[in-house]
Amino acid sequence: MTAALTLSPRLDTPAARPLAQAILARRGRGLTIDAGPVTHLGGLCLQVLASAARTWREDGHALALSPRSVEFDAALAVFGLSPASLQSETDA
């Protein structure tokens, strides 16, 4: 079973802890993250998403970012990352 999570439009420092908690609550299964509503992606929330991608890879589960807003993809590019760096195609 795959879990789903829709991101908040503004992923800034105050959003990091709730984001981490929401992601960890879905650990142990595939996860699809809806980044469509995102209008701002800050560095701390990006770190949370990168950590989640690594954790999902290590756990052997898929993690997908779909859909993604133009602003989300633009912020990733500013940080020098691609959407693939925050996803895992593994599925146990």
Side-chain angles (χ1 to χ4, degrees):
M1 179 189 329
T2 300
L5 174 65
T6 300
L7 298 179
S8 299
R10 185 157 184 84
L11 295 177
D12 53 9
T13 299
R17 183 180 301 261
L19 175 61
Q21 292 169 338
I23 289 172
L24 284 174
R26 291 158 174 83
R27 188 171 180 186
R29 55 193 159 157
L31 176 61
T32 300
I33 298 177
D34 179 351
V38 176
T39 58
H40 173 82
L41 176 61
L44 195 54
C45 285
L46 175 59
Q47 289 178 1
V48 170
L49 292 170
S51 176
R54 181 176 180 177
T55 299
W56 260 246
R57 281 185 204 109
E58 290 174 354
D59 288 353
H61 295 291
L63 187 150
L65 288 165
S66 180
R68 298 182 317 271
S69 67
V70 171
E71 295 87 351
F72 184 87
D73 283 349
L76 286 182
V78 168
F79 286 111
L81 297 172
S82 70
S85 63
L86 299 180
Q87 299 184 87
S88 169
E89 295 180 10
T90 308
D91 201 355

